[in-house]
Amino acid sequence: MTSVSAASVIHEMWRAVAGGWTSAADEVDERASAVTEAIIQGVAPRPGQRILELASGPGGVALGVAPLVGPSGEVVVSDVVDEMVAVAAERAAARQLTNVRPKVLDLDAIDEPDESFDAVVCREGLMFASQPVQAVHEIRRVLRRGGQASIAVWGPRSRNPWLGLVMDAVTAELGHPVPPPGLPGPFALDDERRLRALFVDAGYVDVEVTECAGTLVVASPDAWWARTVAMAGPLSVLISGLAPGQAGAIRRRLEDAAAPYATVTGLRLPDLALVVAARRPQREPREPERDPR
Ligand SMILES: C[S@@+](CC[C@H](N)C(=O)[O-])C[C@H]1O[C@@H](n2cnc3c(N)ncnc32)[C@H](O)[C@@H]1O
Protein backbone atom coordinates (compact mmCIF):
# COMPACT_ATOMS: atom_id res chain seq x y z
CA MET A 1 0.00 0.00 0.00
CA THR A 2 1.50 3.41 -0.93
CA SER A 3 1.60 6.10 1.74
CA VAL A 4 -0.97 8.15 -0.22
CA SER A 5 -3.55 5.37 -0.34
CA ALA A 6 -2.78 4.35 3.26
CA ALA A 7 -3.47 7.93 4.29
CA SER A 8 -6.81 8.11 2.52
CA VAL A 9 -7.86 4.74 4.00
CA ILE A 10 -7.09 6.03 7.50
CA HIS A 11 -8.93 9.32 6.91
CA GLU A 12 -12.06 7.50 5.72
CA MET A 13 -11.93 5.18 8.74
CA TRP A 14 -12.04 8.21 11.01
CA ARG A 15 -14.80 9.85 8.99
CA ALA A 16 -16.89 6.71 9.57
CA VAL A 17 -16.76 7.19 13.36
CA ALA A 18 -17.20 10.99 13.54
CA GLY A 19 -20.77 10.50 14.83
CA GLY A 20 -19.55 8.25 17.66
CA TRP A 21 -16.96 10.83 18.69
CA THR A 22 -19.60 13.57 18.63
CA SER A 23 -21.88 11.66 21.02
CA ALA A 24 -19.02 10.73 23.35
CA ALA A 25 -17.10 14.04 23.25
CA ASP A 26 -17.78 15.05 26.86
CA GLU A 27 -17.12 11.54 28.17
CA VAL A 28 -13.81 11.37 26.26
CA ASP A 29 -12.73 14.76 27.66
CA GLU A 30 -13.56 13.52 31.15
CA ARG A 31 -11.55 10.29 30.71
CA ALA A 32 -8.61 12.17 29.18
CA SER A 33 -8.64 15.10 31.61
CA ALA A 34 -5.24 14.25 33.16
CA VAL A 35 -3.68 13.96 29.68
CA THR A 36 -5.21 17.30 28.66
CA GLU A 37 -3.83 18.92 31.78
CA ALA A 38 -0.35 17.51 31.05
CA ILE A 39 -0.52 18.77 27.45
CA ILE A 40 -1.61 22.24 28.54
CA GLN A 41 1.10 22.41 31.21
CA GLY A 42 3.60 21.43 28.52
CA VAL A 43 2.87 24.57 26.47
CA ALA A 44 1.88 26.93 29.34
CA PRO A 45 -0.40 29.10 27.13
CA ARG A 46 -0.31 32.85 27.66
CA PRO A 47 -2.72 35.64 26.65
CA GLY A 48 -2.27 36.72 23.04
CA GLN A 49 -0.65 33.50 21.81
CA ARG A 50 -1.64 31.54 18.67
CA ILE A 51 -1.98 27.82 19.32
CA LEU A 52 -2.70 24.99 16.89
CA GLU A 53 -4.52 21.80 17.91
CA LEU A 54 -3.94 18.94 15.45
CA ALA A 55 -6.08 15.78 15.05
CA SER A 56 -8.50 17.51 17.40
CA GLY A 57 -11.53 15.26 16.99
CA PRO A 58 -14.21 17.18 18.94
CA GLY A 59 -11.57 19.66 20.15
CA GLY A 60 -11.18 18.83 23.82
CA VAL A 61 -7.74 20.41 24.16
CA ALA A 62 -8.70 23.59 22.26
CA LEU A 63 -11.59 24.11 24.69
CA GLY A 64 -9.10 24.11 27.57
CA VAL A 65 -6.52 26.31 25.82
CA ALA A 66 -8.83 29.00 24.38
CA PRO A 67 -9.68 30.73 27.71
CA LEU A 68 -5.95 30.86 28.55
CA VAL A 69 -4.89 32.71 25.37
CA GLY A 70 -7.86 35.07 25.81
CA PRO A 71 -9.54 37.33 23.26
CA SER A 72 -6.22 38.66 21.94
CA GLY A 73 -5.04 35.12 21.19
CA GLU A 74 -6.31 32.45 18.81
CA VAL A 75 -6.67 28.67 18.79
CA VAL A 76 -6.84 26.94 15.42
CA VAL A 77 -8.67 23.66 16.02
CA SER A 78 -8.03 21.17 13.23
CA ASP A 79 -8.58 17.61 12.09
CA VAL A 80 -8.34 15.83 8.74
CA VAL A 81 -12.07 14.95 8.98
CA ASP A 82 -14.34 17.94 8.36
CA GLU A 83 -17.17 16.51 10.53
CA MET A 84 -14.79 16.38 13.53
CA VAL A 85 -13.77 20.01 12.95
CA ALA A 86 -17.44 21.06 12.72
CA VAL A 87 -18.20 19.43 16.08
CA ALA A 88 -15.19 21.11 17.67
CA ALA A 89 -16.42 24.48 16.33
CA GLU A 90 -19.93 23.86 17.69
CA ARG A 91 -18.59 22.96 21.12
CA ALA A 92 -16.44 26.12 21.19
CA ALA A 93 -19.44 28.26 20.15
CA ALA A 94 -21.61 26.67 22.85
CA ARG A 95 -19.02 27.85 25.39
CA GLN A 96 -18.93 31.39 23.87
CA LEU A 97 -15.29 30.92 22.90
CA THR A 98 -14.89 33.46 20.10
CA ASN A 99 -11.14 32.92 19.63
CA VAL A 100 -11.37 29.35 18.25
CA ARG A 101 -10.98 29.03 14.47
CA PRO A 102 -11.85 25.65 12.90
CA LYS A 103 -9.82 24.35 9.97
CA VAL A 104 -9.44 21.05 8.12
CA LEU A 105 -5.73 20.15 8.28
CA ASP A 106 -3.73 16.98 7.69
CA LEU A 107 -0.94 16.60 10.22
CA ASP A 108 1.20 14.89 7.58
CA ALA A 109 1.25 18.12 5.53
CA ILE A 110 0.10 21.10 7.62
CA ASP A 111 -1.33 23.78 5.36
CA GLU A 112 -0.15 26.71 7.49
CA PRO A 113 2.76 29.15 7.03
CA ASP A 114 6.19 28.64 8.57
CA GLU A 115 6.66 29.91 12.13
CA SER A 116 2.99 30.86 12.53
CA PHE A 117 2.19 29.36 15.97
CA ASP A 118 3.52 29.84 19.48
CA ALA A 119 2.56 26.26 20.37
CA VAL A 120 1.17 23.06 18.85
CA VAL A 121 -0.90 20.58 20.86
CA CYS A 122 -2.26 17.17 19.92
CA ARG A 123 -4.06 14.57 22.06
CA GLU A 124 -3.95 10.98 20.87
CA GLY A 125 -3.59 11.70 17.15
CA LEU A 126 0.07 11.76 16.03
CA MET A 127 0.32 7.95 15.90
CA PHE A 128 -2.20 7.98 13.03
CA ALA A 129 0.16 10.00 10.83
CA SER A 130 1.06 8.12 7.66
CA GLN A 131 4.57 9.51 7.96
CA PRO A 132 5.36 10.40 11.59
CA VAL A 133 8.86 11.73 10.77
CA GLN A 134 7.38 14.13 8.24
CA ALA A 135 4.57 15.09 10.64
CA VAL A 136 7.02 15.96 13.40
CA HIS A 137 9.04 18.10 10.93
CA GLU A 138 5.83 19.80 9.82
CA ILE A 139 4.94 20.64 13.43
CA ARG A 140 8.42 22.10 13.92
CA ARG A 141 8.08 24.14 10.70
CA VAL A 142 4.85 25.85 11.79
CA LEU A 143 6.21 26.62 15.28
CA ARG A 144 7.91 29.96 15.81
CA ARG A 145 11.53 29.87 17.03
CA GLY A 146 11.42 28.80 20.67
CA GLY A 147 7.81 27.58 20.25
CA GLN A 148 6.60 24.59 22.22
CA ALA A 149 4.93 21.32 21.13
CA SER A 150 3.02 19.13 23.59
CA ILE A 151 1.74 15.89 22.18
CA ALA A 152 0.15 12.79 23.72
CA VAL A 153 0.17 9.35 22.11
CA TRP A 154 -0.84 5.99 23.53
CA GLY A 155 1.80 3.94 25.33
CA PRO A 156 2.40 0.19 24.88
CA ARG A 157 -0.52 -2.06 23.93
CA SER A 158 0.09 -4.24 27.02
CA ARG A 159 -0.49 -1.18 29.25
CA ASN A 160 -3.63 -0.12 27.37
CA PRO A 161 -5.98 -3.09 27.84
CA TRP A 162 -9.00 -0.82 27.19
CA LEU A 163 -8.03 -0.93 23.49
CA GLY A 164 -5.29 -3.55 23.25
CA LEU A 165 -7.60 -6.36 24.38
CA VAL A 166 -10.20 -5.41 21.77
CA MET A 167 -7.55 -5.43 19.06
CA ASP A 168 -6.28 -8.80 20.33
CA ALA A 169 -9.82 -10.25 20.20
CA VAL A 170 -10.42 -8.96 16.65
CA THR A 171 -6.99 -10.22 15.54
CA ALA A 172 -7.63 -13.68 17.04
CA GLU A 173 -11.06 -13.95 15.42
CA LEU A 174 -9.98 -12.73 11.97
CA GLY A 175 -6.69 -14.64 11.99
CA HIS A 176 -4.65 -11.66 10.77
CA PRO A 177 -3.03 -8.72 12.54
CA VAL A 178 -5.03 -5.61 13.40
CA PRO A 179 -4.24 -3.02 12.19
CA PRO A 180 -3.06 -4.63 8.93
CA PRO A 181 0.61 -4.14 8.01
CA GLY A 182 1.17 -0.85 6.19
CA LEU A 183 -1.45 1.13 8.12
CA PRO A 184 -0.56 3.30 11.10
CA GLY A 185 -2.32 2.21 14.28
CA PRO A 186 -3.00 3.41 17.82
CA PHE A 187 0.24 1.91 19.17
CA ALA A 188 2.52 3.01 16.34
CA LEU A 189 4.46 5.41 18.66
CA ASP A 190 4.24 3.42 21.89
CA ASP A 191 7.96 3.13 22.62
CA GLU A 192 9.18 5.91 24.89
CA ARG A 193 12.78 5.80 23.65
CA ARG A 194 11.83 5.83 19.98
CA LEU A 195 9.28 8.55 20.59
CA ARG A 196 11.92 10.77 22.19
CA ALA A 197 14.32 10.04 19.31
CA LEU A 198 11.64 11.01 16.76
CA PHE A 199 11.61 14.54 18.20
CA VAL A 200 15.35 14.82 18.93
CA ASP A 201 16.22 13.67 15.39
CA ALA A 202 13.83 16.29 13.98
CA GLY A 203 15.85 19.01 15.73
CA TYR A 204 13.72 19.74 18.79
CA VAL A 205 15.37 20.58 22.10
CA ASP A 206 14.36 20.07 25.73
CA VAL A 207 12.52 16.89 24.75
CA GLU A 208 10.79 15.22 27.68
CA VAL A 209 8.44 12.23 27.68
CA THR A 210 6.21 11.57 30.69
CA GLU A 211 3.70 8.82 31.38
CA CYS A 212 0.10 9.73 32.15
CA ALA A 213 -2.14 6.93 33.43
CA GLY A 214 -5.94 6.83 33.36
CA THR A 215 -8.88 4.44 33.45
CA LEU A 216 -11.73 3.74 31.07
CA VAL A 217 -14.81 2.79 33.08
CA VAL A 218 -17.54 0.91 31.20
CA ALA A 219 -20.64 -0.79 32.54
CA SER A 220 -20.14 -4.20 30.88
CA PRO A 221 -18.37 -6.08 28.07
CA ASP A 222 -21.36 -5.23 25.85
CA ALA A 223 -20.97 -1.52 26.56
CA TRP A 224 -17.23 -1.83 25.92
CA TRP A 225 -17.81 -3.45 22.53
CA ALA A 226 -20.55 -0.94 21.56
CA ARG A 227 -18.22 1.95 22.41
CA THR A 228 -15.45 0.41 20.31
CA VAL A 229 -17.75 -0.10 17.33
CA ALA A 230 -18.84 3.55 17.55
CA MET A 231 -15.40 5.10 18.01
CA ALA A 232 -12.43 2.95 16.99
CA GLY A 233 -11.48 4.52 13.66
CA PRO A 234 -8.86 1.92 12.68
CA LEU A 235 -11.29 -0.92 13.45
CA SER A 236 -14.42 0.63 11.97
CA VAL A 237 -14.09 -0.75 8.45
CA LEU A 238 -13.09 -4.20 9.69
CA ILE A 239 -16.02 -4.31 12.10
CA SER A 240 -18.57 -3.28 9.49
CA GLY A 241 -17.31 -6.12 7.24
CA LEU A 242 -17.55 -8.89 9.87
CA ALA A 243 -19.37 -12.06 8.85
CA PRO A 244 -22.51 -12.97 10.82
CA GLY A 245 -21.41 -14.64 14.03
CA GLN A 246 -17.94 -13.11 14.06
CA ALA A 247 -19.03 -10.07 16.10
CA GLY A 248 -20.63 -12.43 18.64
CA ALA A 249 -17.44 -14.48 18.82
CA ILE A 250 -15.37 -11.33 19.41
CA ARG A 251 -17.83 -10.28 22.10
CA ARG A 252 -17.37 -13.62 23.87
CA ARG A 253 -13.57 -13.26 23.69
CA LEU A 254 -13.93 -9.81 25.26
CA GLU A 255 -16.04 -11.16 28.07
CA ASP A 256 -13.22 -13.57 28.99
CA ALA A 257 -10.57 -10.88 28.59
CA ALA A 258 -12.53 -8.46 30.79
CA ALA A 259 -12.73 -10.76 33.80
CA PRO A 260 -9.58 -9.41 35.57
CA TYR A 261 -10.92 -5.84 35.28
CA ALA A 262 -14.44 -6.46 36.62
CA THR A 263 -15.50 -4.51 39.72
CA VAL A 264 -18.88 -4.01 41.39
CA THR A 265 -19.30 -0.74 39.44
CA GLY A 266 -18.36 -2.22 36.05
CA LEU A 267 -15.11 -2.72 34.14
CA ARG A 268 -12.15 -0.53 35.05
CA LEU A 269 -9.68 -0.76 32.16
CA PRO A 270 -6.29 0.99 32.49
CA ASP A 271 -4.96 3.33 29.81
CA LEU A 272 -1.55 4.91 29.49
CA ALA A 273 -0.53 7.89 27.40
CA LEU A 274 2.98 9.17 26.71
CA VAL A 275 3.12 12.96 26.68
CA VAL A 276 6.00 14.57 24.78
CA ALA A 277 7.04 18.14 25.49
CA ALA A 278 9.54 19.52 22.96
CA ARG A 279 10.76 22.95 21.89
CA ARG A 280 11.83 24.34 18.54
CA PRO A 281 15.25 25.88 19.13
CA GLN A 282 15.77 29.62 18.76
CA ARG A 283 18.52 28.95 16.23
CA GLU A 284 18.56 26.39 13.43
CA PRO A 285 21.56 24.02 13.26
CA ARG A 286 24.44 25.53 11.28
CA GLU A 287 22.72 28.92 11.35
CA PRO A 288 24.96 31.80 12.49
CA GLU A 289 23.91 33.44 15.75
CA ARG A 290 21.59 36.38 15.13
CA ASP A 291 23.20 39.77 15.70
CA PRO A 292 21.83 40.81 19.12
CA ARG A 293 21.88 44.55 18.16
C1 LIG B 1 -8.18 8.94 18.72
S1 LIG B 1 -8.92 10.29 17.92
C2 LIG B 1 -8.46 11.61 19.04
C3 LIG B 1 -9.33 12.83 18.88
C4 LIG B 1 -9.03 13.97 19.85
N1 LIG B 1 -7.67 14.45 19.71
C5 LIG B 1 -9.34 13.59 21.28
O1 LIG B 1 -8.38 13.31 22.03
O2 LIG B 1 -10.51 13.57 21.63
C6 LIG B 1 -7.80 10.53 16.55
C7 LIG B 1 -8.13 11.73 15.67
O3 LIG B 1 -7.08 11.88 14.71
C8 LIG B 1 -7.65 12.32 13.50
N2 LIG B 1 -6.69 12.04 12.42
C9 LIG B 1 -6.30 10.84 11.94
N3 LIG B 1 -5.36 11.01 10.98
C10 LIG B 1 -5.15 12.35 10.87
C11 LIG B 1 -4.29 13.15 10.04
N4 LIG B 1 -3.47 12.62 9.13
N5 LIG B 1 -4.33 14.50 10.20
C12 LIG B 1 -5.16 15.07 11.11
N6 LIG B 1 -6.01 14.37 11.88
C13 LIG B 1 -5.99 13.01 11.78
C14 LIG B 1 -8.96 11.54 13.41
O4 LIG B 1 -9.86 12.10 12.50
C15 LIG B 1 -9.43 11.61 14.87
O5 LIG B 1 -10.23 12.73 15.08
Side-chain angles (χ1 to χ4, degrees):
M1 194 176 287
T2 68
S3 61
V4 172
S5 63
S8 53
V9 169
I10 284 284
H11 302 171
E12 285 316 305
M13 285 175 169
W14 283 108
R15 186 179 306 286
V17 293
W21 280 82
T22 305
S23 316
D26 291 337
E27 177 222 302
V28 170
D29 286 346
E30 174 70 28
R31 177 186 62 78
S33 60
V35 177
T36 307
E37 202 173 309
I39 291 173
I40 293 177
Q41 271 179 14
V43 294
R46 289 194 306 279
Q49 288 190 322
R50 290 193 82 230
I51 298 193
L52 170 64
E53 181 179 7
L54 291 168
S56 67
V61 181
L63 299 181
V65 169
L68 301 174
V69 299
S72 59
E74 182 178 59
V75 180
V76 174
V77 65
S78 72
D79 196 282
V80 78
V81 175
D82 51 358
E83 287 96 327
M84 297 279 197
V85 177
V87 177
E90 276 168 28
R91 297 179 82 212
R95 288 161 176 76
Q96 274 88 48
L97 294 168
T98 52
N99 59 351
V100 175
R101 188 162 62 85
K103 186 163 182 189
V104 173
L105 287 177
D106 183 347
L107 57 73
D108 280 301
I110 303 171
D111 183 19
E112 286 286 333
D114 294 357
E115 304 192 19
S116 50
F117 292 96
D118 296 293
V120 175
V121 293
C122 183
R123 187 179 78 188
E124 297 162 355
L126 181 64
M127 57 281 200
F128 300 112
S130 308
Q131 299 172 60
V133 172
Q134 181 178 315
V136 167
H137 276 94
E138 277 289 271
I139 292 169
R140 185 179 185 281
R141 179 184 64 74
V142 301
L143 278 172
R144 67 162 169 77
R145 308 291 179 100
Q148 190 73 31
S150 186
I151 290 170
V153 298
W154 285 314
R157 186 163 167 155
S158 60
R159 296 183 69 189
N160 280 284
W162 70 281
L163 182 58
L165 291 178
V166 181
M167 294 177 75
D168 291 349
V170 176
T171 297
E173 188 55 35
L174 297 183
H176 56 74
V178 174
L183 284 186
F187 303 115
L189 298 176
D190 68 348
D191 182 289
E192 188 174 332
R193 219 163 38 87
R194 283 176 39 214
L195 184 62
R196 183 190 307 275
L198 182 67
F199 282 82
V200 170
D201 293 350
Y204 291 81
V205 293
D206 300 336
V207 180
E208 281 181 23
V209 181
T210 50
E211 290 190 354
C212 189
T215 309
L216 172 70
V217 182
V218 281
S220 64
D222 276 340
W224 184 19
W225 177 241
R227 181 187 190 284
T228 305
V229 171
M231 297 179 71
L235 293 180
S236 61
V237 173
L238 279 176
I239 289 171
S240 62
L242 288 175
Q246 278 184 312
I250 292 170
R251 251 281 293 111
R252 283 190 293 282
R253 286 181 191 274
L254 280 187
E255 198 152 335
D256 293 342
Y261 304 98
T263 71
V264 283
T265 53
L267 302 178
R268 296 184 64 82
L269 298 148
D271 76 56
L272 183 83
L274 302 175
V275 184
V276 191
R279 196 163 52 77
R280 178 175 178 168
Q282 288 289 354
R283 195 152 56 92
E284 294 298 322
R286 291 184 297 278
E287 187 181 64
E289 243 176 275
R290 285 179 177 176
D291 189 335
R293 282 172 299 172

